Amino acid sequence: MEEKSQQQAYNQIDNQTVEDLMQAFIRLKRKHIEATNDKKTSEARALVLLRHAPEEGLQIIELSKKMYVSSPFITQLINKMEESGWIVRKNDPKDRRIVRVVLSDSGREAADAVKEQFHQRFMSLAEHLGPDDSRQLSKLLNKTFQFFESKVGE
């Protein structure tokens, strides 16, 4: 019975709605790609990830996985951030062959500034949408995330 009512719901969704939804996701993905290809954005993402990392920091490979980029990209990024004074490389006390990356004091300040800027961007979005639409968008995005999470591996 449930399958029949689900099929009726699918039949009520017209092709234009499906196409509009697909196009919206494509536009969001393009904006995400534009943002993540920007060096400053990559630095900002790394700063925030390192700000929330354990006290001993992260290995380059760990940061690479968390940012969904290659290790060579992260190595170049870390070199640049080290030149800026935002990060420090430290040997792992348990295994001297392992190098970990931690934020310096100025790196922590930069990460906090990035986090505040990110918060302000979403505050502006919420003000633009208004409280009801903001709650609705949040609800729909979380529901969308749950849907895609349930489809992993299918």
Side-chain angles (χ1 to χ4, degrees):
M1 186 67 177
E2 183 180 319
E3 199 172 304
K4 188 174 181 178
S5 65
Q6 193 174 29
Q7 186 60 40
Q8 288 172 338
Y10 288 144
N11 291 338
Q12 291 176 356
I13 300 172
D14 62 76
N15 285 334
Q16 186 60 50
T17 301
V18 173
E19 185 65 30
D20 290 348
L21 187 58
M22 288 171 36
Q23 289 301 317
F25 270 86
I26 289 168
R27 286 193 318 271
L28 281 171
K29 180 67 176 171
R30 283 187 188 138
K31 281 295 172 193
H32 173 72
I33 289 169
E34 286 174 17
T36 56
N37 284 339
D38 177 30
K39 282 185 250 175
K40 292 188 186 313
T41 302
S42 296
E43 289 172 358
R45 288 176 59 216
L47 284 167
V48 171
L49 284 169
L50 288 167
R51 185 68 168 123
H52 295 286
E55 191 175 315
E56 67 270 10
L58 295 174
Q59 294 179 44
I60 288 177
I61 189 73
E62 292 171 321
L63 191 55
S64 171
K65 287 178 182 177
K66 287 179 182 290
M67 289 183 64
Y68 302 101
V69 295
S70 68
S71 290
F73 179 86
I74 289 294
T75 300
Q76 289 180 348
L77 181 65
I78 293 301
N79 289 341
K80 186 169 185 139
M81 292 173 70
E82 190 173 33
E83 288 172 16
S84 298
W86 291 340
I87 60 111
V88 177
R89 296 176 201 242
K90 293 187 175 183
N91 288 345
D92 188 298
K94 296 175 185 166
D95 185 343
R96 308 279 300 157
R97 296 170 296 176
I98 296 174
V99 176
R100 295 193 172 273
V101 179
V102 296
L103 290 176
S104 65
D105 289 342
S106 65
R108 281 189 291 281
E109 289 174 14
D112 291 343
V114 166
K115 194 172 179 181
E116 178 60 27
Q117 182 183 21
F118 194 69
H119 178 79
Q120 288 301 320
R121 186 173 298 142
F122 276 87
M123 179 65 79
S124 294
L125 174 62
E127 289 170 355
H128 173 75
L129 294 175
D132 292 339
D133 285 348
S134 295
R135 281 190 286 279
Q136 175 87 11
L137 179 60
S138 177
K139 179 181 173 184
L140 291 172
L141 287 173
N142 282 303
K143 194 172 182 179
T144 302
F145 178 77
Q146 289 170 353
F147 169 80
F148 284 118
E149 278 290 301
S150 73
K151 299 299 180 186
V152 172
E154 280 188 16

